[in-house]
Amino acid sequence: MMNYETILKPAYSRNVQPQQTERDLKNNKYKNKQKNEQHIFYKSANENSKVVNSNSNSRLATGTNNSTNMTVYEKYGFKVPSNYQIKEVIGKGSYGTVAAAVETTYGAQVAIKRVTNIFSKDILLKRAIRELKFMRYFKGHKNIVNLLDLEIVYDKGYDGLYCFQEMIDYDLARVIHSSVQLSEFHIQSFFYQIMFGLKYIHSADVIHRDLKPGNILCSIQGTLKICDFGLARGMNEDCFQKIKDETGKQSHITSYVATRWYRAPELMLCRKKYTKAIDIWACGCILAEFYGRKPIFIGNDQMHQVVEILKVLGTPDKETILNYGSTVAMEIFASPKPQYAKMSWEKIYPFASDEGLDLIERLLKWDPEKRLTCNQVLEHPFFKKVKNVNDEATCPYGAFDFQYEHNITSINDLTKLLFKEVEEFKKAKIKNNTSI
């Protein structure tokens, strides 16, 4: 059996820097992305932050009372229940901040994600609610991050939604972009876990819409977990139809999703309703990144992104261009614009296995209908050494129901729904603890 701890430990050293090619070093976007996706480390909170104990009268969704003993970490802008001790900030982004902490009662390592600005921006509040609903819906799957607890804090300077999650050593970007050598078996095992988790998500008619190495966590034992469901969306056709019957309006879904380098071409080239195939495209990009140790399509903007794809996949055929049904696609691909020939995957990744290259070929297709589905991917011979059919579960709760979104008309409604979600989570947690 492969020893993941021995293989992955070098990737987790804070002194190991991601490898960069000459092309990467010339690309400022790539360097900035690397900095954002790597963890930011600080000294221990005990040494560098002022800790203030207080009995908070903030509106905390505890399920049973509205007064909880809280600890303030001024340096990090965190206010958490006193049984949690923050050690360091490990990530920052547009959503807020993630800190590493210890639950002092049991000594458990946890990650605390503070989602900020949700009470002033309805789109952030809506995404926070979606993420909570999805994490509750998918709770328990071994390749999806587990939500442990929730708090809502209103105190100025510390306000936001606090999500307490299981602590995973690093994200997959850190592993891929490190100097550690990954064998074909490791790539097969890692990618199998990603597809295994995605199958569970897709079986509930949910699209993640932001799959990338930075949103996949990796433990030192080699276990991968999909995280960050802020952009995820239910896509069940029956739900869409019920909403249309009730409101007389067609539901709109934005195409401005997914991080650019992992964004499927249909999201950039047409306004048609997209499918789960956008997640499959992102997975194809991740598989290619395993072999190349860098993103395969590095665009500086949306149009440059399409050009980068063109250089590798070649100009799509006329039928595919027409299927996009947009003037943008015609302007980019039709003559007299440059026509590109398809590059050979063997030349791009000469050390990859034949099965790996074949799978990349079947995932990265211009036409979303020609890409494999999750079930088809898991049947591919690439996984013959790591496949475990008994583990390939589908979501037992069926399609995710997102009709609730169309009964909300104001930020006040969203706030009430957020409190309801947190309280329901806490009640379920108490019930489960009691039953044990």
Side-chain angles (χ1 to χ4, degrees):
M1 185 175 178
M2 192 67 66
N3 188 332
Y4 283 97
E5 187 167 351
T6 301
I7 295 293
L8 294 178
K9 263 187 177 179
Y12 301 140
S13 169
R14 297 181 186 181
N15 297 320
V16 173
Q17 297 299 317
Q19 293 178 327
Q20 294 182 352
T21 65
E22 183 177 354
R23 176 190 178 193
D24 299 330
L25 292 171
K26 290 178 180 178
N27 191 310
N28 288 330
K29 291 287 184 178
Y30 180 75
K31 290 190 288 183
N32 291 337
K33 185 69 176 176
Q34 285 287 87
K35 291 177 183 177
N36 289 336
E37 288 193 339
Q38 291 175 13
H39 289 292
I40 304 170
F41 292 96
Y42 296 84
K43 291 183 179 179
S44 169
N46 285 335
E47 300 173 358
N48 292 288
S49 64
K50 182 180 179 183
V51 182
V52 181
N53 288 322
S54 65
N55 287 322
S56 174
N57 289 319
S58 307
R59 291 168 63 185
L60 293 168
T62 62
T64 56
N65 61 70
N66 63 354
S67 180
T68 303
N69 190 40
M70 305 289 285
T71 300
V72 172
Y73 291 83
E74 291 183 354
K75 179 178 175 65
Y76 306 128
F78 271 67
K79 185 171 187 176
V80 296
S82 296
N83 58 313
Y84 291 98
Q85 181 183 21
I86 293 180
K87 296 167 61 181
E88 58 191 6
V89 167
I90 57 174
K92 288 185 177 181
S94 58
Y95 58 83
T97 307
V98 180
V102 176
E103 201 288 318
T104 56
T105 306
Y106 302 102
Q109 303 288 323
V110 299
I112 305 175
K113 178 178 178 179
R114 179 193 168 205
V115 187
T116 55
N117 299 320
I118 59 173
F119 302 118
S120 58
K121 297 181 180 179
D122 59 349
I123 185 63
L124 296 180
L125 186 52
K126 184 179 289 188
R127 287 178 180 174
I129 292 169
R130 280 181 181 169
E131 182 159 26
L132 287 192
K133 281 185 170 288
F134 287 131
M135 290 185 74
R136 290 183 63 196
Y137 205 72
F138 299 133
K139 184 177 174 64
H141 192 280
K142 67 181 182 179
N143 295 118
I144 298 174
V145 71
N146 193 28
L147 183 63
L148 304 174
D149 206 351
L150 295 166
E151 294 287 359
I152 299 174
V153 176
Y154 264 95
D155 294 9
K156 188 176 180 180
Y158 307 98
D159 58 303
L161 173 68
Y162 288 72
C163 301
F164 299 76
Q165 303 172 3
E166 57 183 325
M167 185 68 185
I168 311 295
D169 300 284
Y170 284 94
D171 63 41
L172 189 57
R174 184 72 176 182
V175 177
I176 292 176
H177 301 150
S178 72
S179 59
V180 65
Q181 295 299 310
L182 297 177
S183 69
E184 186 74 10
F185 178 86
H186 287 106
I187 296 173
Q188 291 167 355
S189 176
F190 286 150
F191 198 61
Y192 180 73
Q193 292 180 69
I194 294 170
M195 297 310 305
F196 179 33
L198 187 60
K199 175 183 176 178
Y200 194 82
I201 294 167
H202 279 189
S203 70
D205 280 344
V206 172
I207 307 179
H208 187 280
R209 302 200 301 183
D210 197 20
L211 285 173
K212 58 182 178 180
N215 284 342
I216 300 169
L217 305 179
C218 181
S219 76
I220 203 164
Q221 289 79 30
T223 300
L224 267 55
K225 291 178 182 282
I226 298 171
C227 67
D228 203 339
F229 287 84
L231 288 179
R233 184 72 156 81
M235 297 291 287
N236 181 258
E237 288 299 329
D238 289 339
C239 276
F240 280 127
Q241 189 59 50
K242 287 177 183 177
I243 292 166
K244 185 177 180 180
D245 292 343
E246 291 177 7
T247 65
K249 298 179 181 179
Q250 189 72 43
S251 296
H252 170 73
I253 56 171
T254 180
S255 58
Y256 195 72
V257 292
T259 302
R260 186 189 307 123
W261 296 344
Y262 306 89
R263 192 176 297 159
E266 61 267 29
L267 294 173
M268 299 179 280
L269 296 171
C270 70
R271 295 184 179 277
K272 288 184 178 180
K273 191 174 180 180
Y274 50 81
T275 66
K276 298 170 186 175
I278 68 168
D279 283 347
I280 298 298
W281 174 275
C283 287
C285 293
I286 293 170
L287 180 56
E289 195 165 335
F290 270 120
Y291 287 115
R293 310 304 289 264
K294 63 181 180 181
I296 182 172
F297 306 121
I298 305 174
N300 296 327
D301 54 47
Q302 187 150 291
M303 293 307 298
H304 185 222
Q305 184 70 20
V306 175
V307 172
E308 290 296 292
I309 297 171
L310 264 172
K311 291 176 182 177
V312 176
L313 299 190
T315 303
D317 58 47
K318 188 175 181 180
E319 182 182 357
T320 301
I321 297 171
L322 292 174
N323 284 339
Y324 280 126
S326 71
T327 55
V328 175
M330 293 297 292
E331 290 172 358
I332 292 175
F333 299 130
S335 297
K337 289 295 178 68
Q339 302 295 294
Y340 291 86
K342 186 180 184 300
M343 291 183 67
S344 166
W345 290 113
E346 288 83 356
K347 289 184 178 180
I348 300 174
Y349 304 122
F351 301 108
S353 67
D354 291 341
E355 292 85 358
L357 296 176
D358 181 72
L359 185 52
I360 293 174
E361 168 69 24
R362 294 172 184 271
L363 299 179
L364 297 179
K365 296 283 189 183
W366 282 110
D367 186 346
E369 293 185 4
K370 292 182 180 179
R371 293 174 209 148
L372 299 182
T373 64
C374 270
N375 287 337
Q376 290 171 332
V377 172
L378 289 167
E379 292 300 320
H380 195 276
F382 181 66
F383 298 118
K384 61 187 176 184
K385 293 182 180 179
V386 296
K387 189 174 178 61
N388 185 348
V389 179
N390 296 327
D391 274 351
E392 293 177 15
T394 56
C395 184
Y397 312 116
F400 178 80
D401 188 345
F402 52 88
Q403 292 182 74
Y404 73 91
E405 292 190 5
H406 297 269
N407 298 321
I408 297 170
T409 58
S410 67
I411 195 166
N412 187 48
D413 290 340
L414 286 167
T415 303
K416 289 179 181 178
L417 183 57
L418 177 64
F419 269 89
K420 181 182 176 182
E421 282 297 311
V422 174
E423 288 177 359
E424 287 181 355
F425 175 88
K426 285 183 169 291
K427 287 177 182 178
K429 180 185 174 184
I430 292 171
K431 183 179 179 181
N432 291 337
N433 289 343
T434 303
S435 62
I436 293 173

